[in-house]
């Protein structure tokens, strides 16, 4: 406190990098602004018209100057481009070992779901020093997940998944904002990110839940919605087996192939006719309006768990055994 907070706190691994780039851009802008202003004044005085009859000497050419003022700005802009692209790529590619979390934006709140089953509204608890990857979607309009202290911002768009990642470097409490005007109470769509020491985080994790992991909630939903009647684990149902599906290539009826990722599974639940698996009839009804975005995420997590390798400890114990 006491000083003017021009920049928010730096609390993630990417924050200093974003700031250094910003400082560089600012420095370049200030340098040239000052240079141009000083030159204007200098030339205005140095080459002022001294008498009514005075005619300036005409200058032709000036190759050296032309080359200089083309090459130098080109070099500077290429540095901006290269540097900016590298920070951008780093910021958009989550590390492989990032802790997955889900977020759903909704007028006017943030709903967060942890893999272990904890759910939070307008709050997000994460451990210090661990990369976190958020998979996000919206139930209504476009929102934007924005944490200034982490220098991350990502639009949250209805009908698709977007991702955002960060690795906190300081324990504490940081503002979460919605950075996309989304209706009358947009300004109230705010919350807190709690970065906790790992042991505090473990305590916090063990305190909540009760309802089971996300995949277990998904499995219950899978049964409640009667998905299991057609999607039989052994492949004898009217619809394809979902065991081992996640991440695989799927052969579609039209001859195309698609990777079974989160977006494909979501689409197949809400618009089953959009991509029909080769060899199957388009008999599945849409679940649009019957299942919320949270529910879709739970189903996705369940289907992911069905595909997990057997040595994965996250595999749900209740994965349907093939019937014989
Ligand atoms: Cu949500 Cu603004």
């Amino acid at each position: 406190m006491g000083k003017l907070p021009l920049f928010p706190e730096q609390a993630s691994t990417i924050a200093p990098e974003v700031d250094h780039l910003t400082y560089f851009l600012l420095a370049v802008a200030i340098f040239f602004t000052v240079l141009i202003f000083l030159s204007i004044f200098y030339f205005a005085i140095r080459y002022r018209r001294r008498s009514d009859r005075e005619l300036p000497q005409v200058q032709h050419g000036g190759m050296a100057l032309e080359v200089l003022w083309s090459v130098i700005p080109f070099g500077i802009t290429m540095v901006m481009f290269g540097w900016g692209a590298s920070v951008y790529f780093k910021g958009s590619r989550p590390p492989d070992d990032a802790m997955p979390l889900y977020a759903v934006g909704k007028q006017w709140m943030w709903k967060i779901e942890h893999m272990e089953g904890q759910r939070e509204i307008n709050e997000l608890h994460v451990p210090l020093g661990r990369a976190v990857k958020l998979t996000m979607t919206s139930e209504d309009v476009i929102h934007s997940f924005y944490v200034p202290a982490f220098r991350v911002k990502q639009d949250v768009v209805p009908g698709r998944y977007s991702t955002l990642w960060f690795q906190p470097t300081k324990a504490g409490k940081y503002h979460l904002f919605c950075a996309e005007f989304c209706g009358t109470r947009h300004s109230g769509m705010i919350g807190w990110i709690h970065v906790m020491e790992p042991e505090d985080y473990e305590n916090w994790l063990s305190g909540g839940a009760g309802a089971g992991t996300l995949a277990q909630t998904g499995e219950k939903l899978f049964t409640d919605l009667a998905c299991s009647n057609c999607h039989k684990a052994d492949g004898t149902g009217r619809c394809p087996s979902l065991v081992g599906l996640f991440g695989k290539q799927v052969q579609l009826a039209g001859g195309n192939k698609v990777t079974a990722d989160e977006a494909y599974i979501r689409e197949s639940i809400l618009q089953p006719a959009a991509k029909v698996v080769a060899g199957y009839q388009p008999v599945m009804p849409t679940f649009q309006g019957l299942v919320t975005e949270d529910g879709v995420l739970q189903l996705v997590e369940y289907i992911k768990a069905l595909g997990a390798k057997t040595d994965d400890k996250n595999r749900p114990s209740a994965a349907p055994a093939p019937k014989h």
Side-chain angles (χ1 to χ4, degrees), residues 108 142-143 178 180-182 186 189:
W108 287 275
I142 301 178
H143 304 277
C178 175
E180 181 77 49
F181 181 71
C182 55
H186 154 73
M189 195 169 160

Side-chain angles (χ1 to χ4, degrees), residues 231-236 241 243 302 306 310 315 318-324:
H231 290 285
K232 297 213 166 89
D234 57 2
T236 58
S241 161
V243 175
Y302 170 62
L306 286 177
T310 37
R315 186 188 169 90
K323 294 184 192 83
H324 291 285

